[in-house]
Amino acid sequence: MTTEATEATGTTGEAAERLSGGPRPRRTVRRTRAGVPVPLLLPALGGFAFLVLPLVALLLRAPWSGLSEQLTSAAVWQALRLSLITATAATAVALVLGVPLAWVLARARFPGRGLVRALVTLPLVLPPVVGGVALLLALGRNGVVGRWLDSAFGITLPFTTTGVVVAEAFVAMPFLVISVEGTLRAADPRYEEAATTLGASRFTAFRRVTLPLIAPGVAAGAVLAWARALGEFGATITFAGNFPGRTQTMPLSVYLALQSDPAAAIALSLVLLAVSVTVLAGLRDRWMAAS
Amino acid sequence: MTTRSASRRALRVVGGLAVAALTLSGCSSDDSGSSDDSGDSSRKADSGSSSDKLSGTVTVFAAASLKESFHALGKTFEKQHPGTRVTFNFGGSDALAASITSGAPADVFAAASPKTMKTVTDHKDAKGTPATFVRNQLEIATLPGNPKKIKSLKDLTRSGTKVALCAEEVPCGAAARKALDAGHLELTPVSYEQDVKGALTKVELKEVDASVVYKTDVKAAGGKVAGVEFPESAKALNDYPIVPLKNAPNAKAATAFVDLVQSARGQKVLSGAGFLKP
Protein backbone atom coordinates (compact mmCIF):
# COMPACT_ATOMS: atom_id res chain seq x y z
CA MET A 1 0.00 0.00 0.00
CA THR A 2 1.49 3.30 -1.01
CA THR A 3 -0.71 5.72 0.84
CA GLU A 4 1.85 8.47 0.48
CA ALA A 5 1.73 8.15 -3.25
CA THR A 6 -2.03 8.40 -3.40
CA GLU A 7 -1.96 11.24 -0.94
CA ALA A 8 0.54 13.05 -3.09
CA THR A 9 -1.40 12.59 -6.28
CA GLY A 10 -4.59 13.51 -4.46
CA THR A 11 -3.22 16.82 -3.20
CA THR A 12 -1.53 17.69 -6.44
CA GLY A 13 -4.77 16.92 -8.20
CA GLU A 14 -6.65 19.29 -5.98
CA ALA A 15 -3.94 21.86 -6.30
CA ALA A 16 -4.11 21.63 -10.05
CA GLU A 17 -7.83 22.13 -9.87
CA ARG A 18 -7.44 25.24 -7.76
CA LEU A 19 -4.78 26.61 -10.08
CA SER A 20 -6.82 26.06 -13.20
CA GLY A 21 -9.10 29.01 -12.64
CA GLY A 22 -11.36 28.35 -9.69
CA PRO A 23 -14.26 25.99 -9.32
CA ARG A 24 -15.53 24.83 -12.64
CA PRO A 25 -19.01 23.35 -12.79
CA ARG A 26 -18.07 19.73 -13.31
CA ARG A 27 -19.04 16.68 -11.36
CA THR A 28 -16.27 15.18 -9.33
CA VAL A 29 -16.25 12.00 -7.34
CA ARG A 30 -16.09 12.76 -3.62
CA ARG A 31 -12.74 11.99 -2.14
CA THR A 32 -11.67 11.09 1.32
CA ARG A 33 -8.99 13.07 3.09
CA ALA A 34 -6.31 10.64 1.93
CA GLY A 35 -7.24 11.28 -1.66
CA VAL A 36 -8.77 7.86 -2.31
CA PRO A 37 -12.01 8.01 -4.31
CA VAL A 38 -14.92 6.69 -2.21
CA PRO A 39 -16.09 4.21 -4.89
CA LEU A 40 -12.65 2.60 -4.68
CA LEU A 41 -12.24 2.88 -0.93
CA LEU A 42 -15.32 0.86 0.02
CA PRO A 43 -14.56 -2.24 -2.06
CA ALA A 44 -10.92 -1.95 -1.04
CA LEU A 45 -11.90 -2.07 2.63
CA GLY A 46 -14.26 -4.94 1.87
CA GLY A 47 -11.51 -6.85 0.13
CA PHE A 48 -9.10 -6.26 2.99
CA ALA A 49 -11.68 -7.39 5.57
CA PHE A 50 -12.48 -10.46 3.49
CA LEU A 51 -8.85 -11.54 3.47
CA VAL A 52 -8.06 -10.72 7.07
CA LEU A 53 -11.28 -11.64 8.90
CA PRO A 54 -10.85 -15.45 8.67
CA LEU A 55 -7.37 -15.17 10.16
CA VAL A 56 -8.67 -12.92 12.92
CA ALA A 57 -11.41 -15.48 13.62
CA LEU A 58 -8.75 -18.16 13.89
CA LEU A 59 -6.97 -16.10 16.52
CA LEU A 60 -10.17 -15.21 18.38
CA ARG A 61 -11.41 -18.78 18.59
CA ALA A 62 -8.06 -20.31 19.38
CA PRO A 63 -8.14 -22.49 22.49
CA TRP A 64 -5.46 -20.39 24.17
CA SER A 65 -5.92 -22.02 27.57
CA GLY A 66 -5.28 -25.53 26.33
CA LEU A 67 -2.91 -24.48 23.56
CA SER A 68 0.29 -25.43 25.36
CA GLU A 69 -0.78 -29.02 25.89
CA GLN A 70 -2.08 -29.24 22.32
CA LEU A 71 1.20 -28.04 20.91
CA THR A 72 3.48 -30.10 23.08
CA SER A 73 1.94 -33.34 21.84
CA ALA A 74 4.39 -35.45 19.90
CA ALA A 75 1.98 -35.89 17.00
CA VAL A 76 1.95 -32.15 16.25
CA TRP A 77 5.73 -31.90 16.16
CA GLN A 78 5.97 -35.03 14.08
CA ALA A 79 3.65 -33.53 11.48
CA LEU A 80 5.32 -30.13 11.60
CA ARG A 81 8.81 -31.61 11.27
CA LEU A 82 7.71 -33.71 8.33
CA SER A 83 6.07 -30.68 6.72
CA LEU A 84 9.17 -28.50 7.08
CA ILE A 85 11.51 -31.22 5.82
CA THR A 86 9.40 -32.17 2.82
CA ALA A 87 8.61 -28.56 1.84
CA THR A 88 12.33 -27.71 1.99
CA ALA A 89 13.28 -30.81 0.00
CA ALA A 90 10.59 -30.04 -2.57
CA THR A 91 11.94 -26.49 -2.89
CA ALA A 92 15.45 -27.86 -3.40
CA VAL A 93 14.18 -30.16 -6.14
CA ALA A 94 12.33 -27.22 -7.71
CA LEU A 95 15.52 -25.10 -7.63
CA VAL A 96 17.75 -27.76 -9.19
CA LEU A 97 15.28 -28.53 -11.98
CA GLY A 98 13.36 -25.27 -12.20
CA VAL A 99 16.11 -22.65 -12.57
CA PRO A 100 17.67 -24.31 -15.66
CA LEU A 101 14.18 -24.78 -17.08
CA ALA A 102 13.40 -21.10 -16.53
CA TRP A 103 16.69 -20.16 -18.22
CA VAL A 104 15.85 -22.29 -21.27
CA LEU A 105 12.37 -20.74 -21.48
CA ALA A 106 13.74 -17.21 -21.19
CA ARG A 107 16.94 -17.41 -23.27
CA ALA A 108 16.75 -20.27 -25.74
CA ARG A 109 14.95 -19.96 -29.05
CA PHE A 110 13.22 -23.11 -30.21
CA PRO A 111 9.95 -23.96 -31.94
CA GLY A 112 7.03 -24.71 -29.65
CA ARG A 113 8.42 -22.68 -26.77
CA GLY A 114 5.01 -21.20 -26.01
CA LEU A 115 3.53 -24.68 -25.74
CA VAL A 116 6.33 -25.81 -23.44
CA ARG A 117 5.76 -22.80 -21.20
CA ALA A 118 2.02 -23.51 -21.07
CA LEU A 119 2.66 -27.14 -20.13
CA VAL A 120 5.17 -26.15 -17.45
CA THR A 121 2.69 -23.77 -15.82
CA LEU A 122 -0.21 -26.20 -16.04
CA PRO A 123 0.25 -27.57 -12.48
CA LEU A 124 -0.36 -23.98 -11.29
CA VAL A 125 -3.97 -24.09 -12.42
CA LEU A 126 -4.54 -27.83 -12.15
CA PRO A 127 -6.59 -28.82 -9.08
CA PRO A 128 -4.06 -30.47 -6.73
CA VAL A 129 -6.14 -33.64 -6.41
CA VAL A 130 -6.02 -34.03 -10.19
CA GLY A 131 -2.26 -33.60 -9.97
CA GLY A 132 -2.19 -36.38 -7.36
CA VAL A 133 -4.20 -38.71 -9.57
CA ALA A 134 -1.94 -37.93 -12.53
CA LEU A 135 1.16 -38.62 -10.41
CA LEU A 136 -0.36 -41.91 -9.28
CA LEU A 137 -0.99 -42.97 -12.86
CA ALA A 138 2.52 -41.94 -13.88
CA LEU A 139 4.68 -42.90 -10.91
CA GLY A 140 2.47 -45.32 -8.96
CA ARG A 141 3.37 -48.96 -8.59
CA ASN A 142 1.17 -49.70 -11.57
CA GLY A 143 1.85 -46.39 -13.32
CA VAL A 144 3.29 -45.70 -16.76
CA VAL A 145 6.81 -44.99 -15.45
CA GLY A 146 6.31 -46.31 -11.92
CA ARG A 147 5.82 -49.88 -13.09
CA TRP A 148 9.24 -49.81 -14.69
CA LEU A 149 10.82 -48.11 -11.65
CA ASP A 150 9.38 -50.87 -9.51
CA SER A 151 10.52 -53.79 -11.65
CA ALA A 152 13.98 -52.39 -12.46
CA PHE A 153 14.99 -50.76 -9.19
CA GLY A 154 12.31 -51.83 -6.72
CA ILE A 155 11.46 -48.16 -6.17
CA THR A 156 7.88 -47.35 -5.27
CA LEU A 157 7.05 -43.74 -4.55
CA PRO A 158 3.45 -43.74 -3.26
CA PHE A 159 3.03 -43.91 0.52
CA THR A 160 6.62 -42.80 1.14
CA THR A 161 8.13 -39.53 2.35
CA THR A 162 9.81 -39.25 -1.06
CA GLY A 163 6.32 -39.44 -2.54
CA VAL A 164 5.30 -36.43 -0.45
CA VAL A 165 8.32 -34.49 -1.79
CA VAL A 166 7.41 -35.50 -5.36
CA ALA A 167 3.81 -34.36 -4.92
CA GLU A 168 4.85 -31.04 -3.37
CA ALA A 169 7.54 -30.36 -5.97
CA PHE A 170 5.08 -31.06 -8.77
CA VAL A 171 2.67 -28.47 -7.43
CA ALA A 172 5.25 -25.89 -6.29
CA MET A 173 7.85 -25.89 -9.08
CA PRO A 174 5.80 -23.84 -11.58
CA PHE A 175 5.79 -20.92 -9.11
CA LEU A 176 9.57 -20.91 -9.12
CA VAL A 177 9.87 -21.32 -12.88
CA ILE A 178 7.49 -18.44 -13.61
CA SER A 179 9.17 -16.19 -11.07
CA VAL A 180 12.72 -16.88 -12.28
CA GLU A 181 11.76 -16.66 -15.93
CA GLY A 182 10.22 -13.24 -15.35
CA THR A 183 13.40 -12.04 -13.65
CA LEU A 184 15.56 -13.39 -16.48
CA ARG A 185 13.47 -11.58 -19.06
CA ALA A 186 13.85 -8.35 -17.13
CA ALA A 187 17.62 -8.86 -16.68
CA ASP A 188 19.85 -7.42 -19.36
CA PRO A 189 21.30 -10.25 -21.50
CA ARG A 190 24.22 -8.03 -22.57
CA TYR A 191 26.10 -8.78 -19.35
CA GLU A 192 26.10 -12.46 -20.22
CA GLU A 193 27.12 -11.65 -23.79
CA ALA A 194 29.95 -9.45 -22.55
CA ALA A 195 31.18 -12.27 -20.36
CA THR A 196 31.16 -14.73 -23.25
CA THR A 197 33.04 -12.32 -25.53
CA LEU A 198 35.67 -12.08 -22.80
CA GLY A 199 36.19 -15.80 -23.04
CA ALA A 200 33.79 -17.29 -20.52
CA SER A 201 31.86 -20.34 -21.58
CA ARG A 202 28.09 -20.02 -21.65
CA PHE A 203 27.81 -22.06 -18.49
CA THR A 204 30.46 -20.01 -16.69
CA ALA A 205 28.63 -16.85 -17.76
CA PHE A 206 25.41 -18.29 -16.37
CA ARG A 207 27.07 -19.30 -13.11
CA ARG A 208 29.18 -16.19 -12.50
CA VAL A 209 27.09 -13.45 -14.11
CA THR A 210 23.49 -14.43 -14.61
CA LEU A 211 22.85 -16.24 -11.34
CA PRO A 212 24.08 -13.39 -9.08
CA LEU A 213 22.06 -11.01 -11.24
CA ILE A 214 18.80 -12.89 -10.78
CA ALA A 215 19.39 -14.08 -7.20
CA PRO A 216 16.55 -11.95 -5.73
CA GLY A 217 14.11 -13.40 -8.25
CA VAL A 218 15.27 -16.92 -7.49
CA ALA A 219 14.88 -16.27 -3.76
CA ALA A 220 11.38 -14.88 -4.24
CA GLY A 221 10.42 -17.86 -6.37
CA ALA A 222 11.88 -20.27 -3.84
CA VAL A 223 9.87 -18.68 -1.02
CA LEU A 224 6.69 -18.90 -3.07
CA ALA A 225 7.39 -22.52 -3.93
CA TRP A 226 8.23 -23.36 -0.32
CA ALA A 227 5.03 -21.79 0.99
CA ARG A 228 2.99 -23.59 -1.65
CA ALA A 229 4.66 -26.90 -0.80
CA LEU A 230 4.03 -26.38 2.91
CA GLY A 231 0.31 -25.94 2.32
CA GLU A 232 -0.03 -28.79 -0.18
CA PHE A 233 -2.95 -31.09 0.62
CA GLY A 234 -4.75 -32.61 -2.35
CA ALA A 235 -1.87 -34.07 -4.33
CA THR A 236 -0.20 -35.32 -1.15
CA ILE A 237 -3.15 -37.25 0.22
CA THR A 238 -3.91 -38.71 -3.19
CA PHE A 239 -0.39 -39.72 -4.13
CA ALA A 240 1.34 -40.33 -0.81
CA GLY A 241 -1.58 -41.37 1.36
CA ASN A 242 -1.82 -40.65 5.05
CA PHE A 243 0.53 -42.24 7.57
CA PRO A 244 1.67 -40.42 10.72
CA GLY A 245 5.38 -39.61 10.67
CA ARG A 246 5.85 -40.77 7.10
CA THR A 247 3.37 -38.96 4.89
CA GLN A 248 1.03 -37.12 7.25
CA THR A 249 1.99 -33.47 6.77
CA MET A 250 0.46 -30.55 8.69
CA PRO A 251 -2.42 -29.85 6.28
CA LEU A 252 -3.41 -33.52 6.40
CA SER A 253 -3.40 -33.61 10.18
CA VAL A 254 -5.40 -30.36 10.34
CA TYR A 255 -8.02 -31.90 8.08
CA LEU A 256 -8.16 -35.10 10.11
CA ALA A 257 -8.21 -33.33 13.46
CA LEU A 258 -11.14 -31.19 12.37
CA GLN A 259 -13.29 -34.32 12.33
CA SER A 260 -12.36 -35.69 15.72
CA ASP A 261 -10.91 -32.84 17.75
CA PRO A 262 -11.67 -29.35 16.41
CA ALA A 263 -9.63 -27.64 19.13
CA ALA A 264 -6.54 -29.51 17.98
CA ALA A 265 -7.27 -28.52 14.39
CA ILE A 266 -7.35 -24.84 15.34
CA ALA A 267 -4.12 -25.20 17.29
CA LEU A 268 -2.43 -26.86 14.31
CA SER A 269 -3.72 -24.15 11.99
CA LEU A 270 -2.20 -21.52 14.28
CA VAL A 271 1.18 -23.23 14.04
CA LEU A 272 1.02 -23.24 10.25
CA LEU A 273 -0.09 -19.61 10.26
CA ALA A 274 2.80 -18.65 12.54
CA VAL A 275 5.30 -20.47 10.33
CA SER A 276 3.98 -18.77 7.20
CA VAL A 277 4.01 -15.30 8.78
CA THR A 278 7.55 -15.82 10.09
CA VAL A 279 8.83 -16.85 6.68
CA LEU A 280 7.13 -13.94 4.94
CA ALA A 281 8.42 -11.44 7.49
CA GLY A 282 11.94 -12.87 7.43
CA LEU A 283 12.20 -12.67 3.66
CA ARG A 284 10.38 -9.42 3.14
CA ASP A 285 13.47 -7.45 2.18
CA ARG A 286 14.46 -9.88 -0.55
CA TRP A 287 10.83 -10.00 -1.53
CA MET A 288 10.78 -6.26 -2.06
CA ALA A 289 14.09 -6.33 -3.89
CA ALA A 290 12.72 -8.90 -6.26
CA SER A 291 9.63 -7.01 -7.21
CA MET B 1 -14.26 -28.18 28.63
CA THR B 2 -14.40 -24.56 27.62
CA THR B 3 -12.02 -24.91 24.72
CA ARG B 4 -14.24 -27.57 23.28
CA SER B 5 -17.34 -25.42 23.41
CA ALA B 6 -15.44 -22.48 21.98
CA SER B 7 -14.26 -24.48 19.04
CA ARG B 8 -17.73 -25.92 18.66
CA ARG B 9 -18.99 -22.37 18.38
CA ALA B 10 -16.37 -21.63 15.80
CA LEU B 11 -17.39 -24.64 13.84
CA ARG B 12 -20.99 -23.59 14.09
CA VAL B 13 -20.11 -20.25 12.54
CA VAL B 14 -18.35 -22.05 9.73
CA GLY B 15 -21.33 -24.34 9.36
CA GLY B 16 -23.66 -21.37 9.32
CA LEU B 17 -21.67 -19.83 6.50
CA ALA B 18 -21.85 -23.11 4.62
CA VAL B 19 -25.60 -23.19 5.13
CA ALA B 20 -25.89 -19.65 3.85
CA ALA B 21 -23.81 -20.48 0.82
CA LEU B 22 -25.81 -23.58 0.05
CA THR B 23 -29.08 -21.74 0.45
CA LEU B 24 -27.86 -19.03 -1.88
CA SER B 25 -26.82 -21.57 -4.44
CA GLY B 26 -30.33 -22.88 -4.62
CA CYS B 27 -30.07 -25.89 -2.37
CA SER B 28 -33.12 -24.83 -0.45
CA SER B 29 -36.22 -26.91 -0.38
CA ASP B 30 -39.78 -25.99 0.32
CA ASP B 31 -42.16 -28.26 2.12
CA SER B 32 -45.18 -27.55 0.00
CA GLY B 33 -46.16 -29.51 -3.02
CA SER B 34 -48.63 -32.06 -4.10
CA SER B 35 -47.87 -35.68 -4.56
CA ASP B 36 -49.29 -38.66 -2.84
CA ASP B 37 -47.28 -40.70 -0.44
CA SER B 38 -47.57 -44.14 -1.92
CA GLY B 39 -44.47 -45.69 -0.46
CA ASP B 40 -44.67 -49.17 0.94
CA SER B 41 -43.65 -47.92 4.34
CA SER B 42 -43.33 -50.58 6.94
CA ARG B 43 -43.95 -48.07 9.68
CA LYS B 44 -46.14 -45.01 9.61
CA ALA B 45 -44.49 -41.65 9.76
CA ASP B 46 -44.84 -40.57 13.36
CA SER B 47 -45.68 -36.99 12.51
CA GLY B 48 -47.76 -36.45 9.43
CA SER B 49 -51.03 -37.74 8.18
CA SER B 50 -51.29 -40.67 5.82
CA SER B 51 -51.27 -38.40 2.78
CA ASP B 52 -47.97 -36.57 3.21
CA LYS B 53 -47.27 -34.31 0.31
CA LEU B 54 -43.64 -34.53 -0.55
CA SER B 55 -41.58 -32.30 -2.80
CA GLY B 56 -38.27 -30.56 -2.96
CA THR B 57 -34.81 -31.89 -2.30
CA VAL B 58 -33.86 -34.49 0.29
CA THR B 59 -30.25 -34.32 1.35
CA VAL B 60 -28.87 -37.58 2.68
CA PHE B 61 -25.50 -37.78 4.42
CA ALA B 62 -24.44 -41.41 4.27
CA ALA B 63 -21.39 -43.55 4.97
CA ALA B 64 -19.26 -44.19 1.89
CA SER B 65 -20.01 -47.91 2.01
CA LEU B 66 -23.70 -47.19 1.32
CA LYS B 67 -22.96 -45.47 -1.98
CA GLU B 68 -24.26 -48.02 -4.50
CA SER B 69 -27.34 -49.20 -2.59
CA PHE B 70 -28.42 -45.69 -1.54
CA HIS B 71 -28.08 -44.43 -5.09
CA ALA B 72 -30.52 -47.14 -6.16
CA LEU B 73 -32.87 -46.30 -3.28
CA GLY B 74 -32.69 -42.62 -4.19
CA LYS B 75 -33.92 -43.44 -7.68
CA THR B 76 -36.75 -45.51 -6.18
CA PHE B 77 -37.70 -42.65 -3.87
CA GLU B 78 -37.83 -40.14 -6.73
CA LYS B 79 -40.10 -42.52 -8.66
CA GLN B 80 -42.40 -42.98 -5.68
CA HIS B 81 -42.61 -39.26 -4.99
CA PRO B 82 -42.55 -37.32 -8.24
CA GLY B 83 -41.31 -33.79 -7.65
CA THR B 84 -38.67 -34.83 -5.15
CA ARG B 85 -34.93 -34.99 -5.69
CA VAL B 86 -32.55 -36.97 -3.51
CA THR B 87 -29.02 -35.63 -3.21
CA PHE B 88 -26.28 -37.53 -1.42
CA ASN B 89 -23.14 -36.66 0.44
CA PHE B 90 -21.07 -39.81 0.86
CA GLY B 91 -17.94 -39.85 2.99
CA GLY B 92 -16.31 -41.10 6.15
CA SER B 93 -18.96 -41.27 8.89
CA ASP B 94 -16.85 -39.19 11.27
CA ALA B 95 -16.43 -36.37 8.75
CA LEU B 96 -20.16 -36.43 7.99
CA ALA B 97 -21.03 -36.35 11.70
CA ALA B 98 -18.67 -33.41 12.20
CA SER B 99 -20.26 -31.42 9.40
CA ILE B 100 -23.78 -32.19 10.70
CA THR B 101 -22.93 -31.02 14.21
CA SER B 102 -21.49 -27.84 12.73
CA GLY B 103 -24.75 -27.07 10.99
CA ALA B 104 -24.60 -28.56 7.52
CA PRO B 105 -28.11 -28.64 6.03
CA ALA B 106 -28.84 -32.37 5.93
CA ASP B 107 -32.17 -34.19 6.20
CA VAL B 108 -31.01 -37.74 6.91
CA PHE B 109 -27.87 -39.22 8.43
CA ALA B 110 -26.91 -42.85 7.86
CA ALA B 111 -23.72 -43.82 9.66
CA ALA B 112 -21.59 -46.94 9.53
CA SER B 113 -21.25 -47.20 13.30
CA PRO B 114 -23.21 -46.35 16.47
CA LYS B 115 -20.19 -44.38 17.70
CA THR B 116 -20.26 -41.86 14.86
CA MET B 117 -24.07 -41.65 15.17
CA LYS B 118 -23.63 -40.90 18.87
CA THR B 119 -21.70 -37.73 17.94
CA VAL B 120 -24.87 -36.46 16.27
CA THR B 121 -27.38 -37.64 18.93
CA ASP B 122 -25.21 -36.23 21.74
CA HIS B 123 -25.29 -32.91 19.96
CA LYS B 124 -29.12 -33.09 19.93
CA ASP B 125 -29.18 -32.99 16.15
CA ALA B 126 -31.21 -36.15 15.62
CA LYS B 127 -35.00 -36.39 15.53
CA GLY B 128 -36.04 -39.42 17.56
CA THR B 129 -33.90 -42.48 18.12
CA PRO B 130 -31.64 -43.84 15.40
CA ALA B 131 -32.69 -47.24 14.05
CA THR B 132 -30.22 -49.91 13.00
CA PHE B 133 -31.16 -50.83 9.44
CA VAL B 134 -28.32 -53.14 8.29
CA ARG B 135 -25.08 -54.71 9.48
CA ASN B 136 -21.88 -55.12 7.54
CA GLN B 137 -18.97 -57.53 7.76
CA LEU B 138 -15.34 -56.92 6.91
CA GLU B 139 -13.52 -58.69 4.12
CA ILE B 140 -10.02 -58.46 2.68
CA ALA B 141 -9.88 -56.93 -0.78
CA THR B 142 -6.84 -57.98 -2.77
CA LEU B 143 -5.67 -57.95 -6.37
CA PRO B 144 -7.66 -60.00 -8.89
CA GLY B 145 -6.39 -63.57 -8.94
CA ASN B 146 -4.83 -63.05 -5.50
CA PRO B 147 -1.18 -63.11 -6.67
CA LYS B 148 0.03 -62.55 -3.10
CA LYS B 149 -1.78 -65.73 -1.97
CA ILE B 150 -3.52 -63.98 0.90
CA LYS B 151 -5.70 -66.46 2.79
CA SER B 152 -6.08 -64.94 6.22
CA LEU B 153 -5.81 -61.70 8.16
CA LYS B 154 -2.43 -62.90 9.42
CA ASP B 155 -1.09 -62.98 5.85
CA LEU B 156 -1.49 -59.21 5.70
CA THR B 157 1.15 -58.80 8.38
CA ARG B 158 3.83 -60.49 6.24
CA SER B 159 6.70 -58.17 5.40
CA GLY B 160 6.61 -56.85 1.86
CA THR B 161 2.81 -56.80 1.81
CA LYS B 162 1.42 -53.31 1.29
CA VAL B 163 -1.88 -52.80 3.04
CA ALA B 164 -4.22 -49.79 3.17
CA LEU B 165 -6.52 -49.52 6.18
CA CYS B 166 -9.24 -47.03 6.97
CA ALA B 167 -8.27 -44.36 9.50
CA GLU B 168 -9.34 -45.42 12.98
CA GLU B 169 -11.75 -42.47 13.27
CA VAL B 170 -13.77 -44.04 10.46
CA PRO B 171 -16.02 -47.03 11.28
CA CYS B 172 -14.26 -49.42 8.88
CA GLY B 173 -10.97 -48.52 10.53
CA ALA B 174 -12.36 -49.06 14.01
CA ALA B 175 -13.77 -52.42 12.92
CA ALA B 176 -10.47 -53.45 11.34
CA ARG B 177 -8.68 -52.57 14.57
CA LYS B 178 -11.19 -54.72 16.48
CA ALA B 179 -10.68 -57.67 14.14
CA LEU B 180 -6.89 -57.38 14.37
CA ASP B 181 -7.10 -57.24 18.16
CA ALA B 182 -9.32 -60.32 18.15
CA GLY B 183 -6.65 -62.14 16.18
CA HIS B 184 -3.85 -60.66 18.34
CA LEU B 185 -2.22 -59.28 15.22
CA GLU B 186 -0.03 -56.22 14.70
CA LEU B 187 -0.37 -54.59 11.30
CA THR B 188 1.34 -51.47 10.02
CA PRO B 189 -0.40 -50.21 6.89
CA VAL B 190 1.15 -47.87 4.33
CA SER B 191 -1.77 -45.47 4.58
CA TYR B 192 -4.79 -44.67 6.75
CA GLU B 193 -7.50 -43.77 4.26
CA GLN B 194 -10.27 -41.23 4.88
CA ASP B 195 -13.11 -43.57 4.04
CA VAL B 196 -13.65 -47.14 2.96
CA LYS B 197 -13.89 -46.31 -0.75
CA GLY B 198 -10.46 -44.72 -0.56
CA ALA B 199 -9.03 -47.93 0.88
CA LEU B 200 -10.73 -49.92 -1.87
CA THR B 201 -9.53 -47.63 -4.67
CA LYS B 202 -5.91 -48.10 -3.64
CA VAL B 203 -6.34 -51.84 -4.33
CA GLU B 204 -8.18 -51.22 -7.60
CA LEU B 205 -5.26 -49.05 -8.76
CA LYS B 206 -2.89 -51.86 -7.65
CA GLU B 207 -0.99 -49.40 -5.46
CA VAL B 208 -1.40 -51.69 -2.46
CA ASP B 209 -1.64 -55.47 -2.27
CA ALA B 210 -4.67 -55.54 -0.03
CA SER B 211 -7.01 -53.50 2.11
CA VAL B 212 -9.52 -54.34 4.80
CA VAL B 213 -12.94 -53.19 3.59
CA TYR B 214 -16.55 -54.37 3.80
CA LYS B 215 -18.04 -57.34 1.98
CA THR B 216 -20.35 -54.88 0.23
CA ASP B 217 -17.40 -52.94 -1.18
CA VAL B 218 -15.77 -56.06 -2.59
CA LYS B 219 -19.10 -56.95 -4.17
CA ALA B 220 -19.57 -53.44 -5.59
CA ALA B 221 -16.08 -53.45 -7.09
CA GLY B 222 -17.02 -56.41 -9.28
CA GLY B 223 -14.00 -58.08 -10.83
CA LYS B 224 -11.58 -55.28 -10.00
CA VAL B 225 -10.67 -56.85 -6.65
CA ALA B 226 -10.77 -60.32 -5.15
CA GLY B 227 -12.39 -60.85 -1.75
CA VAL B 228 -10.91 -62.98 1.01
CA GLU B 229 -13.11 -63.78 4.00
CA PHE B 230 -11.55 -64.16 7.42
CA PRO B 231 -13.03 -65.52 10.65
CA GLU B 232 -12.06 -62.54 12.85
CA SER B 233 -14.55 -60.40 10.92
CA ALA B 234 -17.41 -62.04 12.82
CA LYS B 235 -16.11 -60.33 15.96
CA ALA B 236 -16.22 -56.90 14.34
CA LEU B 237 -19.64 -56.57 12.75
CA ASN B 238 -20.78 -53.02 12.15
CA ASP B 239 -24.28 -51.80 12.93
CA TYR B 240 -25.55 -49.08 10.61
CA PRO B 241 -27.91 -46.59 12.28
CA ILE B 242 -30.09 -44.14 10.35
CA VAL B 243 -32.02 -41.12 11.62
CA PRO B 244 -33.89 -38.09 10.29
CA LEU B 245 -32.28 -34.89 11.51
CA LYS B 246 -33.83 -32.27 13.72
CA ASN B 247 -32.89 -29.25 11.63
CA ALA B 248 -33.86 -30.96 8.40
CA PRO B 249 -34.82 -28.44 5.73
CA ASN B 250 -37.24 -31.06 4.38
CA ALA B 251 -38.45 -32.96 7.45
CA LYS B 252 -41.36 -34.84 5.86
CA ALA B 253 -39.27 -36.17 3.03
CA ALA B 254 -36.53 -37.09 5.50
CA THR B 255 -38.90 -39.33 7.44
CA ALA B 256 -40.20 -40.84 4.21
CA PHE B 257 -36.68 -41.68 3.05
CA VAL B 258 -35.83 -43.35 6.37
CA ASP B 259 -39.08 -45.34 6.03
CA LEU B 260 -38.10 -46.45 2.54
CA VAL B 261 -34.69 -47.66 3.75
CA GLN B 262 -36.38 -49.74 6.46
CA SER B 263 -39.16 -51.04 4.23
CA ALA B 264 -39.12 -54.51 2.69
CA ARG B 265 -38.19 -52.97 -0.63
CA GLY B 266 -35.28 -51.06 0.82
CA GLN B 267 -34.03 -54.06 2.73
CA LYS B 268 -34.12 -56.13 -0.47
CA VAL B 269 -31.84 -53.64 -2.24
CA LEU B 270 -29.48 -53.60 0.74
CA SER B 271 -29.23 -57.39 1.08
CA GLY B 272 -28.68 -57.54 -2.67
CA ALA B 273 -25.64 -55.35 -2.12
CA GLY B 274 -24.29 -57.75 0.49
CA PHE B 275 -25.47 -56.15 3.72
CA LEU B 276 -26.64 -58.37 6.57
CA LYS B 277 -30.02 -58.10 8.27
CA PRO B 278 -29.89 -56.15 11.52
Side-chain angles (χ1 to χ4, degrees), chain A residues 254-282:
Chain A
V254 170
Y255 175 74
L256 275 172
L258 200 54
Q259 291 159 23
S260 49
D261 186 3
I266 298 171
L268 287 166
S269 304
L270 281 177
V271 174
L272 267 187
L273 183 68
V275 170
S276 313
V277 167
T278 311
V279 168
L280 267 185

Side-chain angles (χ1 to χ4, degrees), chain B residues 46-101:
Chain B
D46 50 358
S47 59
S49 58
S50 59
S51 62
D52 273 337
K53 297 189 178 78
L54 298 180
S55 72
T57 308
V58 201
T59 310
V60 180
F61 280 31
S65 43
L66 291 162
K67 201 168 190 166
E68 293 79 12
S69 36
F70 266 35
H71 262 308
L73 287 173
K75 295 256 187 310
T76 310
F77 188 85
E78 285 169 7
K79 272 205 201 78
Q80 284 179 351
H81 309 282
T84 57
R85 244 187 81 239
V86 187
T87 56
F88 290 105
N89 179 10
F90 294 107
S93 298
D94 64 318
L96 295 174
S99 56
I100 288 169
T101 53

Side-chain angles (χ1 to χ4, degrees), chain B residues 5-215:
Chain B
S5 63
S7 58
R8 277 261 165 72
R9 263 205 309 278
L11 278 172
R12 206 170 295 151
V13 171
V14 174
L17 284 172
V19 173
L22 281 167
T23 316
L24 284 174
S25 63
C27 263
S28 59
S29 56
D30 56 298
D31 292 40
S32 63
S34 58
S35 77
D36 224 36
D37 181 13
S38 53
D40 51 347
S41 310
S42 60
R43 77 183 165 89
K44 272 278 162 274
D46 50 358
S47 59
S49 58
S50 59
S51 62
D52 273 337
K53 297 189 178 78
L54 298 180
S55 72
T57 308
V58 201
T59 310
V60 180
F61 280 31
S65 43
L66 291 162
K67 201 168 190 166
E68 293 79 12
S69 36
F70 266 35
H71 262 308
L73 287 173
K75 295 256 187 310
T76 310
F77 188 85
E78 285 169 7
K79 272 205 201 78
Q80 284 179 351
H81 309 282
T84 57
R85 244 187 81 239
V86 187
T87 56
F88 290 105
N89 179 10
F90 294 107
S93 298
D94 64 318
L96 295 174
S99 56
I100 288 169
T101 53
S102 48
D107 296 299
V108 177
F109 179 41
S113 73
K115 185 170 164 272
T116 44
M117 178 57 84
K118 198 169 172 296
T119 313
V120 171
T121 50
D122 283 354
H123 202 263
K124 309 261 184 297
D125 280 327
K127 200 171 100 189
T129 341
T132 301
F133 64 103
V134 281
R135 304 174 86 193
N136 209 348
Q137 193 165 3
L138 293 174
E139 194 171 347
I140 295 167
T142 185
L143 306 179
N146 200 349
K148 286 271 177 180
K149 302 278 179 293
I150 290 162
K151 295 189 188 64
S152 68
L153 197 58
K154 193 169 187 301
D155 290 348
L156 295 184
T157 61
R158 284 191 304 224
S159 63
T161 308
K162 288 194 170 179
V163 182
L165 288 181
C166 299
E168 290 190 20
E169 294 88 9
V170 195
C172 61
R177 163 74 22 226
K178 223 167 163 179
L180 286 164
D181 288 346
H184 304 294
L185 295 166
E186 273 304 314
L187 173 60
T188 308
V190 292
S191 177
Y192 289 108
E193 293 294 318
Q194 297 319 291
D195 64 37
V196 68
K197 294 297 179 195
L200 183 76
T201 307
K202 293 284 190 283
V203 181
E204 288 182 3
L205 289 171
K206 300 195 172 67
E207 289 303 335
V208 296
D209 302 311
S211 65
V212 179
V213 296
Y214 297 116
K215 273 192 155 71

